[in-house]
């Protein structure tokens, strides 16, 4: 505890490691050694304990290390012979030693948990001083805490190799460990032969399962193609898959998910109509969960089990139709937009509260989204659009309900979601957050300049997102511009007329198609000015930043606004094209469709700009928001519109609107019949119409 135990690390850092080193500690050592070498510009080395600056070892009774799982402690000693001060990092389990090494890296060597994902350079120092004060780690408020790396198409497309190799997964798991996470669901429906699960376990993480894949078992229809995926009719086949999964995983660190939903993450009764009442559905789910639980207990000692109360499952549970064994952690879920209510399913949006009440005994946890994919209005490429004050309030409600046994965060592709991930990191450690303090701390770490101005830009972001409905969480992410746009084009080109488009009723209500068009036009038109004003403020702040900080702020913040603004403009122009077309103003509709295409192209340009350095091809597999698909649809529409009035020679609009009057009656066809491209014609017509 005395100041004379201060330890200066300079040049070569000498570290002693335990014998029979667990793989998790080996990986943590490699991370620390890389960090120390980068900071001090000299390799860190493994030595005998009597020669070491840092001794990493298992705790003894004399160390008085905290006894809860994954705790670590720092104990400073003088070596008896050399009188050289040493830091001893001690723990009772492998993750304790992992966290002890990574805490040292963060708090003394200055390596941020998100250094990789935010492109934070590791700063060189002449020496690093350790303060010589003994230290006990604090117990996290959440027992099992981690990420569901879900809808991870950016990670998939980032490399030519499928499933993604170690080079993709290692930075994900490293960041999660640096954030204090201990659990991961690595990917969505990836091939079982991938490295993602063994690497996660090798690095010390618990692995859990998707709620549509009970016990991590193979999907029934993959294992038994052509057979009916009915547990009622084929219980032996389902149970064989479950037992196979148990045998394959039982020697690893697994949080077993007990569930029964359906093939392809849909309710099983959609394909098995005999389950036509809530009672029948709940009875089947309860039976399957009980059977899975019994199978686990017969094979695995001290198994930790959980069940996902997600979507319609939560509604059935709340109504008393599903029964869960007492020791199983019940995992409640937000609606994909940060609110702890049941999610919207198509047109149904019951918003049933999704947290345990006072009478709900047993263990409880939460599945929380900072990114979502719902083919409607969710955020996938951009930050969660709801205000962080809402996230703060919901997290505090989670803490008050006692649902702290488990917190699985849908982290998506990591890189676009650092601020909400940081809020969850703070929460699972402390059980509380103050969103402004979290943001200010993150900005100091990422930018270290113009802190207040950048903080205001971040908070203003939430003021401009589109409110598509009456609830505080009805806020539009990037998918709001693209899925409705493609639906509108499909309805239009299929000639469905004024019949309401069912796939848009969730937003517009059951109104004629032209009124649905008006809804989206008004929402987008009302948001454009706010986003443009935000960009003006951004440019003023960016002028005062170094080139390094400009690039980081572009990637972490401006990128999101560019996708919102270009999406708003693209969808507004598409709606204008529809209005002009149905007023038989075909050239004007053609121009509006072209403007829509150009604006959506701006979204793609922002993604391309963000693919610098190691991020090359990061957005190549944008298959969910799918900006390229939107461009394809709008381009198809533009060609369709040109057929109305410029067909068959695709010269008529040029002649009517652009050709000088002096030429119209004397031109020769052999010199004027080379049709303009769609872009060339659209730009000329745009200029002509603007003049008028």
């Amino acid at each position: 505890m005395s100041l004379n135990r201060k330890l200066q690390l300079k040049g070569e850092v000498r570290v002693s490691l335990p014998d029979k080193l667990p793989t998790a500690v080996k990986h943590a050592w490699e991370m620390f050694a890389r960090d120390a070498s980068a900071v001090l510009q000299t390799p860190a080395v493994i030595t005998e304990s009597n020669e070491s600056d840092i001794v990493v070892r298992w705790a003894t009774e004399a160390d008085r290390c905290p006894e809860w799982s994954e705790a670590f402690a720092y104990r400073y000693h003088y070596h008896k012979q050399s009188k050289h001060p040493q830091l001893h990092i001690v723990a009772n389990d492998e993750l304790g030693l992992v966290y002890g090494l990574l805490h040292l890296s963060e708090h003394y060597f200055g390596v941020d948990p998100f250094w990789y994902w935010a492109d934070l350079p590791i700063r060189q120092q002449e020496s690093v001083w350790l303060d010589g004060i003994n230290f006990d780690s604090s117990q996290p408020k959440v027992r099992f805490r981690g990420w569901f790396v879900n809808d991870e198409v950016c990670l998939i497309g980032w490399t030519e190799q499928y499933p993604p190799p170690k080079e993709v997964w290692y930075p994900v798991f490293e960041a999660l460990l640096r954030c204090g996470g201990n659990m991961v669901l690595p990917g969505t429906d990836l091939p079982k032969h991938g490295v993602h699960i063994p690497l996660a376990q090798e690095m010390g993480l618990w692995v859990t399962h998707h709620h549509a894949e009970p016990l991590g078992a193979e999907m029934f229809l993959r294992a038994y193609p052509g057979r009916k995926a009915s547990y009622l009719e084929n219980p032996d086949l389902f149970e064989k898959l479950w037992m196979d999964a148990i045998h394959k995983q039982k020697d690893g660190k697994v949080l077993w998910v007990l569930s029964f939903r359906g093939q392809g993450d849909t309710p099983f009764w959609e394909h098995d109509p005999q389950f036509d009442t809530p009672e029948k559905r709940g009875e089947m789910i309860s039976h399957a969960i009980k059977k899975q639980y019994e199978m686990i207990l017969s094979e695995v000692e001290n198994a930790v089990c959980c069940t996902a109360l997600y979507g319609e499952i939560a509604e059935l549970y709340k109504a008393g139709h599903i029964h869960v064994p007492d020791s199983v952690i019940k995992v409640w879920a937000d609606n994909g937009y940060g609110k702890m209510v049941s999610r919207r399913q198509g047109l149904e949006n019951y918003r049933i509260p999704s947290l345990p009440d006072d009478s709900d005994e047993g263990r409880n946890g939460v599945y929380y989204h900072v990114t979502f994919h719902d083919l409607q209005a969710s955020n996938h490429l951009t930050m969660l659009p709801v205000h962080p004050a809402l996230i703060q309030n919901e997290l505090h409600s989670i803490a008050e309900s006692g649902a702290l046994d488990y917190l699985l965060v849908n982290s998506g592709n990591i890189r676009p979601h650092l601020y909400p991930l940081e809020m969850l990191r703070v929460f699972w450690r402390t059980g509380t957050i103050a969103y402004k303090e979290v943001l200010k701390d993150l900005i100091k770490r990422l930018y270290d300049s113009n802190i207040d101005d950048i903080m205001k830009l971040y908070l203003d972001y939430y003021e401009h997102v589109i409110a598509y409905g009456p609830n505080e969480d009805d806020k539009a992410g990037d998918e709001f511009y693209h899925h409705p746009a493609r639906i509108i084009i499909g309805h239009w080109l299929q000639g469905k007329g004024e019949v309401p488009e069912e796939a848009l009723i969730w937003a517009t209500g059951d109104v004629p198609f032209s009124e649905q068009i008006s809804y989206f036009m008004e929402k987008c038109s009302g948001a454009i000015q706010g986003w443009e004003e935000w960009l003006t403020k951004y440019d003023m702040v960016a002028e005062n930043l170094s080139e390094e900080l400009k690039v980081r702020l572009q990637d972490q913040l401006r990128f999101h606004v560019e996708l919102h603004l270009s999406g708003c403009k693209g969808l507004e122009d598409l709606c204008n094209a529809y209005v002009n077309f149905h007023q038989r103003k075909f050239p004007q509709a053609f121009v509006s469709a072209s403007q829509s295409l150009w604006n959506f192209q701006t979204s793609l340009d922002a993604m391309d700009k963000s693919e610098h350095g190691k991020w090359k091809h990061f957005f190549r597999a944008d298959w969910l928001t799918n900006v390229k698909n939107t461009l394809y649809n709008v381009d198809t529409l533009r060609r369709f519109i040109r057929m109305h009035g410029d067909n068959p020679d695709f010269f008529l609009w040029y002649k009517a609107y652009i050709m000088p009057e002096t030429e119209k009656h004397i031109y020769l066809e052999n010199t004027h019949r080379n049709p303009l491209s769609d872009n060339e014609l659209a730009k000329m017509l745009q200029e002509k119409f603007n003049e008028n």
Side-chain angles (χ1 to χ4, degrees), residues 388-421:
L390 181 148
I391 300 174
Q392 174 180 297
N393 293 339
E394 294 303 290
L395 294 181
H396 287 168
S397 295
I398 290 168
E400 289 167 8
S401 75
L404 295 175
D405 286 289
Y406 176 110
L407 177 55
L408 184 66
V409 181
N410 191 316
S411 61
N413 297 290
I414 318 299
R415 188 188 182 205
H417 312 296
L418 299 189
Y419 175 33
L421 286 176

Short mmCIF file of all heavy atoms in Angstrom, two decimals, residues 388-421:
data_model
loop_
_atom_site.label_atom_id
_atom_site.label_comp_id
_atom_site.label_asym_id
_atom_site.label_seq_id
_atom_site.Cartn_x
_atom_site.Cartn_y
_atom_site.Cartn_z
N PRO A 388 -30.94 8.06 -25.99
CA PRO A 388 -30.26 7.31 -24.93
C PRO A 388 -30.91 7.46 -23.56
O PRO A 388 -30.70 6.61 -22.69
CB PRO A 388 -28.84 7.86 -24.95
CG PRO A 388 -28.89 9.13 -25.73
CD PRO A 388 -30.03 8.99 -26.68
N ALA A 389 -31.69 8.52 -23.37
CA ALA A 389 -32.42 8.64 -22.10
C ALA A 389 -33.42 7.49 -21.94
O ALA A 389 -33.65 7.00 -20.83
CB ALA A 389 -33.15 9.98 -22.03
N LEU A 390 -34.02 7.06 -23.05
CA LEU A 390 -34.93 5.91 -23.01
C LEU A 390 -34.16 4.65 -22.64
O LEU A 390 -34.62 3.85 -21.82
CB LEU A 390 -35.63 5.74 -24.36
CG LEU A 390 -36.64 4.59 -24.47
CD1 LEU A 390 -37.77 4.96 -25.43
CD2 LEU A 390 -35.99 3.28 -24.95
N ILE A 391 -32.99 4.46 -23.24
CA ILE A 391 -32.18 3.29 -22.91
C ILE A 391 -31.83 3.31 -21.42
O ILE A 391 -31.92 2.29 -20.73
CB ILE A 391 -30.90 3.27 -23.76
CG1 ILE A 391 -31.25 3.21 -25.25
CG2 ILE A 391 -30.01 2.09 -23.37
CD1 ILE A 391 -30.06 3.33 -26.17
N GLN A 392 -31.44 4.47 -20.93
CA GLN A 392 -31.11 4.61 -19.51
C GLN A 392 -32.29 4.19 -18.64
O GLN A 392 -32.14 3.41 -17.69
CB GLN A 392 -30.73 6.05 -19.21
CG GLN A 392 -30.51 6.36 -17.74
CD GLN A 392 -30.13 7.82 -17.53
OE1 GLN A 392 -29.10 8.27 -17.99
NE2 GLN A 392 -30.99 8.56 -16.83
N ASN A 393 -33.48 4.69 -18.96
CA ASN A 393 -34.66 4.38 -18.16
C ASN A 393 -35.00 2.89 -18.21
O ASN A 393 -35.38 2.29 -17.20
CB ASN A 393 -35.86 5.21 -18.64
CG ASN A 393 -35.68 6.69 -18.37
OD1 ASN A 393 -34.89 7.08 -17.51
ND2 ASN A 393 -36.38 7.52 -19.11
N GLU A 394 -34.89 2.30 -19.41
CA GLU A 394 -35.21 0.88 -19.54
C GLU A 394 -34.21 0.02 -18.78
O GLU A 394 -34.59 -0.97 -18.14
CB GLU A 394 -35.24 0.48 -21.02
CG GLU A 394 -36.36 1.14 -21.81
CD GLU A 394 -37.73 0.86 -21.23
OE1 GLU A 394 -38.19 -0.29 -21.31
OE2 GLU A 394 -38.34 1.79 -20.67
N LEU A 395 -32.94 0.38 -18.82
CA LEU A 395 -31.94 -0.39 -18.08
C LEU A 395 -32.18 -0.29 -16.58
O LEU A 395 -32.01 -1.27 -15.84
CB LEU A 395 -30.54 0.07 -18.45
CG LEU A 395 -30.10 -0.19 -19.89
CD1 LEU A 395 -28.67 0.31 -20.11
CD2 LEU A 395 -30.21 -1.66 -20.25
N HIS A 396 -32.58 0.87 -16.12
CA HIS A 396 -32.87 1.02 -14.69
C HIS A 396 -34.10 0.20 -14.31
O HIS A 396 -34.17 -0.37 -13.21
CB HIS A 396 -33.07 2.48 -14.34
CG HIS A 396 -31.78 3.26 -14.34
ND1 HIS A 396 -31.72 4.64 -14.28
CD2 HIS A 396 -30.49 2.85 -14.40
CE1 HIS A 396 -30.46 5.03 -14.31
NE2 HIS A 396 -29.69 3.96 -14.38
N SER A 397 -35.07 0.10 -15.22
CA SER A 397 -36.24 -0.75 -14.96
C SER A 397 -35.83 -2.21 -14.88
O SER A 397 -36.36 -2.98 -14.06
CB SER A 397 -37.30 -0.57 -16.06
OG SER A 397 -37.81 0.74 -16.04
N ILE A 398 -34.89 -2.61 -15.73
CA ILE A 398 -34.37 -3.98 -15.68
C ILE A 398 -33.74 -4.24 -14.32
O ILE A 398 -33.98 -5.28 -13.70
CB ILE A 398 -33.36 -4.19 -16.82
CG1 ILE A 398 -34.07 -4.21 -18.17
CG2 ILE A 398 -32.56 -5.48 -16.61
CD1 ILE A 398 -33.14 -4.12 -19.36
N ALA A 399 -32.92 -3.30 -13.85
CA ALA A 399 -32.26 -3.47 -12.55
C ALA A 399 -33.29 -3.54 -11.42
O ALA A 399 -33.17 -4.38 -10.52
CB ALA A 399 -31.28 -2.33 -12.32
N GLU A 400 -34.30 -2.68 -11.47
CA GLU A 400 -35.32 -2.67 -10.42
C GLU A 400 -36.11 -3.97 -10.39
O GLU A 400 -36.57 -4.41 -9.33
CB GLU A 400 -36.25 -1.48 -10.62
CG GLU A 400 -35.59 -0.13 -10.32
CD GLU A 400 -36.42 1.05 -10.81
OE1 GLU A 400 -37.58 0.82 -11.25
OE2 GLU A 400 -35.92 2.19 -10.77
N SER A 401 -36.29 -4.59 -11.56
CA SER A 401 -37.05 -5.84 -11.62
C SER A 401 -36.22 -7.03 -11.14
O SER A 401 -36.75 -8.13 -10.96
CB SER A 401 -37.52 -6.10 -13.05
OG SER A 401 -36.44 -6.55 -13.87
N GLY A 402 -34.91 -6.82 -10.98
CA GLY A 402 -34.04 -7.91 -10.54
C GLY A 402 -33.61 -8.85 -11.64
O GLY A 402 -33.06 -9.93 -11.37
N ALA A 403 -33.82 -8.47 -12.90
CA ALA A 403 -33.47 -9.34 -14.03
C ALA A 403 -31.99 -9.18 -14.39
O ALA A 403 -31.63 -8.74 -15.48
CB ALA A 403 -34.35 -9.01 -15.23
N LEU A 404 -31.13 -9.56 -13.44
CA LEU A 404 -29.70 -9.31 -13.58
C LEU A 404 -28.87 -10.60 -13.60
O LEU A 404 -27.65 -10.55 -13.44
CB LEU A 404 -29.21 -8.40 -12.45
CG LEU A 404 -29.79 -6.98 -12.43
CD1 LEU A 404 -29.32 -6.23 -11.20
CD2 LEU A 404 -29.41 -6.22 -13.69
N ASP A 405 -29.53 -11.72 -13.81
CA ASP A 405 -28.77 -12.96 -13.91
C ASP A 405 -28.11 -13.12 -15.27
O ASP A 405 -27.16 -13.89 -15.41
CB ASP A 405 -29.69 -14.16 -13.66
CG ASP A 405 -30.04 -14.30 -12.19
OD1 ASP A 405 -29.15 -14.66 -11.41
OD2 ASP A 405 -31.21 -14.03 -11.83
N TYR A 406 -28.60 -12.37 -16.26
CA TYR A 406 -28.19 -12.63 -17.64
C TYR A 406 -28.51 -11.38 -18.47
O TYR A 406 -29.59 -10.80 -18.34
CB TYR A 406 -29.01 -13.82 -18.12
CG TYR A 406 -28.89 -14.28 -19.55
CD1 TYR A 406 -28.27 -15.49 -19.86
CD2 TYR A 406 -29.48 -13.59 -20.60
CE1 TYR A 406 -28.22 -15.98 -21.16
CE2 TYR A 406 -29.44 -14.06 -21.90
CZ TYR A 406 -28.81 -15.25 -22.18
OH TYR A 406 -28.77 -15.74 -23.47
N LEU A 407 -27.56 -10.94 -19.28
CA LEU A 407 -27.82 -9.82 -20.19
C LEU A 407 -27.09 -10.10 -21.50
O LEU A 407 -25.86 -10.02 -21.59
CB LEU A 407 -27.33 -8.49 -19.60
CG LEU A 407 -27.48 -7.25 -20.50
CD1 LEU A 407 -28.91 -7.08 -20.99
CD2 LEU A 407 -27.02 -5.99 -19.78
N LEU A 408 -27.86 -10.46 -22.51
CA LEU A 408 -27.34 -10.72 -23.84
C LEU A 408 -27.70 -9.54 -24.73
O LEU A 408 -28.88 -9.20 -24.87
CB LEU A 408 -27.92 -12.01 -24.41
CG LEU A 408 -27.38 -12.47 -25.76
CD1 LEU A 408 -25.91 -12.86 -25.66
CD2 LEU A 408 -28.20 -13.65 -26.30
N VAL A 409 -26.68 -8.91 -25.31
CA VAL A 409 -26.89 -7.70 -26.10
C VAL A 409 -26.72 -8.04 -27.58
O VAL A 409 -25.69 -8.57 -27.99
CB VAL A 409 -25.87 -6.61 -25.71
CG1 VAL A 409 -26.10 -5.35 -26.54
CG2 VAL A 409 -25.97 -6.31 -24.22
N ASN A 410 -27.74 -7.75 -28.36
CA ASN A 410 -27.63 -7.93 -29.80
C ASN A 410 -26.69 -6.86 -30.34
O ASN A 410 -27.07 -5.70 -30.48
CB ASN A 410 -29.00 -7.84 -30.46
CG ASN A 410 -28.99 -8.29 -31.91
OD1 ASN A 410 -28.08 -7.94 -32.67
ND2 ASN A 410 -29.99 -9.06 -32.30
N SER A 411 -25.47 -7.27 -30.64
CA SER A 411 -24.41 -6.31 -30.98
C SER A 411 -24.22 -6.12 -32.47
O SER A 411 -23.42 -5.28 -32.89
CB SER A 411 -23.08 -6.79 -30.37
OG SER A 411 -22.74 -8.07 -30.91
N GLY A 412 -24.92 -6.92 -33.30
CA GLY A 412 -24.79 -6.77 -34.74
C GLY A 412 -23.35 -6.86 -35.20
O GLY A 412 -22.60 -7.76 -34.81
N ASN A 413 -22.94 -5.89 -36.00
CA ASN A 413 -21.60 -5.87 -36.59
C ASN A 413 -20.61 -5.02 -35.81
O ASN A 413 -19.56 -4.65 -36.34
CB ASN A 413 -21.70 -5.38 -38.04
CG ASN A 413 -22.54 -6.32 -38.89
OD1 ASN A 413 -22.14 -7.42 -39.20
ND2 ASN A 413 -23.74 -5.87 -39.25
N ILE A 414 -20.92 -4.70 -34.56
CA ILE A 414 -20.05 -4.02 -33.59
C ILE A 414 -19.73 -2.58 -33.99
O ILE A 414 -20.07 -1.64 -33.27
CB ILE A 414 -18.71 -4.79 -33.36
CG1 ILE A 414 -18.93 -6.30 -33.26
CG2 ILE A 414 -18.00 -4.22 -32.13
CD1 ILE A 414 -19.81 -6.75 -32.15
N ARG A 415 -19.04 -2.41 -35.11
CA ARG A 415 -18.46 -1.12 -35.47
C ARG A 415 -19.45 0.05 -35.46
O ARG A 415 -19.11 1.12 -34.95
CB ARG A 415 -17.79 -1.23 -36.84
CG ARG A 415 -16.98 -0.02 -37.25
CD ARG A 415 -16.53 -0.14 -38.70
NE ARG A 415 -15.71 0.98 -39.12
CZ ARG A 415 -15.58 1.38 -40.39
NH1 ARG A 415 -16.20 0.72 -41.35
NH2 ARG A 415 -14.83 2.41 -40.69
N PRO A 416 -20.68 -0.10 -35.98
CA PRO A 416 -21.57 1.07 -35.99
C PRO A 416 -22.25 1.36 -34.66
O PRO A 416 -23.00 2.34 -34.57
CB PRO A 416 -22.64 0.68 -37.04
CG PRO A 416 -22.11 -0.52 -37.75
CD PRO A 416 -21.23 -1.21 -36.77
N HIS A 417 -22.01 0.56 -33.62
CA HIS A 417 -22.87 0.62 -32.44
C HIS A 417 -22.10 0.84 -31.14
O HIS A 417 -22.53 0.40 -30.07
CB HIS A 417 -23.68 -0.68 -32.35
CG HIS A 417 -24.34 -1.07 -33.62
ND1 HIS A 417 -25.32 -0.31 -34.22
CD2 HIS A 417 -24.13 -2.14 -34.45
CE1 HIS A 417 -25.71 -0.89 -35.35
NE2 HIS A 417 -25.00 -1.99 -35.52
N LEU A 418 -20.99 1.56 -31.20
CA LEU A 418 -20.10 1.62 -30.04
C LEU A 418 -20.72 2.37 -28.86
O LEU A 418 -20.52 1.98 -27.70
CB LEU A 418 -18.77 2.26 -30.43
CG LEU A 418 -17.95 1.51 -31.49
CD1 LEU A 418 -16.56 2.12 -31.61
CD2 LEU A 418 -17.86 0.02 -31.20
N TYR A 419 -21.46 3.47 -29.12
CA TYR A 419 -22.03 4.21 -27.99
C TYR A 419 -23.05 3.38 -27.22
O TYR A 419 -22.93 3.23 -25.98
CB TYR A 419 -22.62 5.54 -28.46
CG TYR A 419 -23.34 6.33 -27.40
CD1 TYR A 419 -22.94 6.30 -26.06
CD2 TYR A 419 -24.44 7.13 -27.72
CE1 TYR A 419 -23.61 7.04 -25.08
CE2 TYR A 419 -25.11 7.87 -26.75
CZ TYR A 419 -24.70 7.81 -25.44
OH TYR A 419 -25.37 8.53 -24.47
N PRO A 420 -24.05 2.78 -27.87
CA PRO A 420 -24.96 1.94 -27.06
C PRO A 420 -24.27 0.73 -26.45
O PRO A 420 -24.62 0.32 -25.33
CB PRO A 420 -26.06 1.53 -28.06
CG PRO A 420 -25.51 1.82 -29.41
CD PRO A 420 -24.54 2.93 -29.26
N LEU A 421 -23.28 0.15 -27.12
CA LEU A 421 -22.55 -0.95 -26.51
C LEU A 421 -21.80 -0.49 -25.27
O LEU A 421 -21.68 -1.23 -24.29
CB LEU A 421 -21.58 -1.57 -27.52
CG LEU A 421 -22.20 -2.42 -28.63
CD1 LEU A 421 -21.13 -2.88 -29.61
CD2 LEU A 421 -22.95 -3.62 -28.06
#
